Amino acid sequence: MHLPSRRAGVRLTLLYGALLVASGAVLLALTYLLVLRFPADRVLVDGVGAGTDVSGGRSGGGLPGVRPTAGSGDVFALLQEQAVRQHADQLRQLLMQSGVALAVMLVVSALLGWLVARRVLRPLRAMTGTVRHISAHTLHERLAVAGPADELKELADTVDGLLGRLEGALDSHRRFVADAANALRAPLTQERRLLRETLVDRDATAETFRANSERLLEISERQAHLLESLLALAGSHRGLVHREELDLAPLTESALHVARPDSERLGLKVAAAVGPAPVTGDPALVQRLASCLVDNAVGHNRPGGRVEISTAVRGGHAVLSVANTGDRVAPEQVNRLFEPFRSPGRTAADGHPGLGLVIVHAIALAHDAVISARARPDGGLAVEVVFPARTGDPREGAEDIGQLDKRTGLH
């Protein structure tokens, strides 16, 4: 289990040892070269003067002011030859002693490199052990490394941030699974109750069976709608696999056409200002986004209410805007509309599982679009999705959501 850290320790030991040995070898080589360059034919002669160097016969000269006596040339030649031999012997001794010193330095470097590597890797081993100890049940734990703001502290803080995001994602996943289970359990309970009533009732007639069957069919359709919403949400979270050029206008018109029976049943006034709005994205997901916005505006409206939908290009950005009348939504509750199964007043039992705006939000994120929502003072909601331009930030050129009421005429 500790093999990777040992390999790192060995690599660091070899690196530190090699650096120290290389530095020692360079120092010894420079010393050897300096000694080698020192003249070997310079000798010290007593009687000429204390500390005076005399050059011998090879150069054929002498020191200025020094007059060699008879026979002194032979003496100088012998001294010069002896100095050359002594210099060569000193070089050999220096080379041998340097080799021994370098060998000793190699052992010392290896030992020092191992100690330094262990000390450097000690915080990493501690962090590795802590991270290995952390599991799905202990994601609340953190490394919490104290000390100076160095690279190790930055690494520990990064891991702590990652653990925090993982904990949040896991908690969100658990809540989503629990909420989805509750949303699916409610219609199953209703189906079981209707079937039990039909079987227990000995006086049940054909009309009773038909009424219960119609109610079971309605519940089944709600379950199918919920499952389709869950699949669409899962698909939008996977990101974009396919991109192509498309236009929001025909997709929005198609969504309006599908929602026309419901809007006519509620007596809604639908005002559409659909203009060209080219975007790049997945056609199926963008179609789902437009459909969810239209369904949300129609389904959460009051009888005789109003729906305003527009597509346009502003500042190089394709914009889809939807506003509707309806029940009042507290401003502090707007953010909850984008949380699964947590939309106030929207449950699976009434045919609205509360996933419409959640799916819209996920699809918008997959397309790098910016979605904003605002509760209207007189009731209803105003939603705007700004798709990214060809270049630049998708927030550039986005119109304030407060201007949506002025465009739509909803007051």
Side-chain angles (χ1 to χ4, degrees), residues 185-201 212 215-216 219 222 349:
R185 183 174 58 183
L188 289 176
T189 302
Q190 293 179 2
E191 288 181 348
R192 186 167 56 250
R193 180 176 56 82
L194 289 174
L195 290 173
R196 185 181 293 112
E197 290 178 356
T198 303
L199 293 176
V200 172
D201 188 5
N212 288 341
R215 294 175 63 184
L216 288 173
I219 294 174
R222 291 177 181 176

Side-chain angles (χ1 to χ4, degrees), residues 3 56 64 71 121 160 199 212 220 233 238 260 298 311 381 402:
L3 187 58
L121 294 177
D160 286 343
L199 293 176
N212 288 341
S220 177
L233 183 60
R238 287 197 303 265
R260 181 175 299 171
V298 173
T311 59
L381 198 68

Side-chain angles (χ1 to χ4, degrees), residues 1 40 67 85 93 98 158 178 180 183 208 252 254 273 305 319 326 355 357 373:
M1 294 298 294
R67 299 173 61 185
R85 288 196 302 269
Q93 292 294 329
S98 298
T158 302
T208 304
T252 304
S254 176
V319 181
L355 291 176
L357 291 181

Side-chain angles (χ1 to χ4, degrees), residues 323-383:
N324 70 321
T325 55
D327 297 334
R328 290 187 178 182
V329 180
E332 61 272 12
Q333 297 290 337
V334 172
N335 290 334
R336 297 190 61 187
L337 298 176
F338 299 100
E339 298 180 11
F341 304 104
R342 297 187 179 274
S343 300
R346 306 177 184 197
T347 63
D350 60 4
H352 301 290
L355 291 176
L357 291 181
V358 178
I359 296 174
V360 170
H361 184 257
I363 296 176
L365 289 180
H367 288 79
D368 298 325
V370 177
I371 181 173
S372 55
R374 184 182 63 83
R376 300 182 56 254
D378 297 332
L381 198 68
V383 181

Side-chain angles (χ1 to χ4, degrees), residues 136-215:
H137 302 287
T138 58
L139 277 178
H140 61 278
E141 297 183 10
R142 298 292 182 269
L143 298 178
V145 174
D150 54 7
E151 287 79 1
L152 293 178
K153 180 70 164 56
E154 183 179 0
L155 175 61
D157 293 341
T158 302
V159 173
D160 286 343
L162 176 61
L163 291 175
R165 292 190 294 272
L166 287 176
E167 183 181 13
L170 183 59
D171 291 341
S172 177
H173 174 71
R174 288 170 176 170
R175 289 195 304 268
F176 179 81
V177 171
D179 294 336
N182 289 328
L184 290 171
R185 183 174 58 183
L188 289 176
T189 302
Q190 293 179 2
E191 288 181 348
R192 186 167 56 250
R193 180 176 56 82
L194 289 174
L195 290 173
R196 185 181 293 112
E197 290 178 356
T198 303
L199 293 176
V200 172
D201 188 5
R202 296 181 179 274
D203 299 329
T205 62
E207 290 75 11
T208 304
F209 279 101
R210 182 177 182 84
N212 288 341
S213 298
E214 290 177 352
R215 294 175 63 184

